[in-house]
Amino acid sequence: MPFADMPFPLGISLILASIFYVVALVLALVRVVRGPTAFDRIVALDLIAALCLGVIVLFAIHFDQPVFVDAALIIALVGFLGTVAFSRFLERDGGGQ
């Protein structure tokens, strides 16, 4: 069932959330490409992981499949651990510039 065919408040809110997620993903991708430092890129990648988490939750709502929420939680955990590990590596190496 497309978002537009869903009941009024839920369908409209899912469409608006999808639009905001796409805009935020584009802005985060711009930050990843432009930097200027490696730490900025790491934060942008963490933001992208969080935004993907939100998109997966939207899919879970849309398809009424709670198993997607479990996958989203695993992706959030892996994204957080990856961000912490990469930040510690850059801090130790002094390569944040």
Side-chain angles (χ1 to χ4, degrees), residues 4 15 23 25 28 34 36 38 43-46 52 66 70 72-73 77 79 84-85 92-93 97:
I15 290 171
V23 170
L25 279 170
R34 294 183 71 184
V43 171
L45 285 174
D46 192 41
C52 288
D70 296 336
L73 291 174
L77 181 63
V84 169
R92 183 175 42 168
D93 195 33
Q97 303 303 322

Side-chain angles (χ1 to χ4, degrees), residues 3-85:
F3 288 156
D5 293 340
M6 297 183 93
F8 170 65
L10 183 62
I12 295 296
S13 61
L14 289 176
I15 290 171
L16 288 176
S18 299
I19 291 170
F20 289 138
Y21 275 121
V22 168
V23 170
L25 279 170
V26 168
L27 292 175
L29 284 174
V30 167
R31 178 54 62 189
V32 168
V33 171
R34 294 183 71 184
T37 66
F39 292 114
D40 294 329
R41 291 183 172 106
I42 291 171
V43 171
L45 285 174
D46 192 41
L47 176 64
I48 289 172
L51 292 172
C52 288
L53 175 84
V55 170
I56 291 171
V57 170
L58 282 180
F59 281 136
I61 294 170
H62 177 67
F63 293 112
D64 196 22
Q65 293 290 326
V67 71
F68 288 161
V69 177
D70 296 336
L73 291 174
I74 292 170
I75 290 172
L77 181 63
V78 170
F80 174 74
L81 292 176
T83 300
V84 169

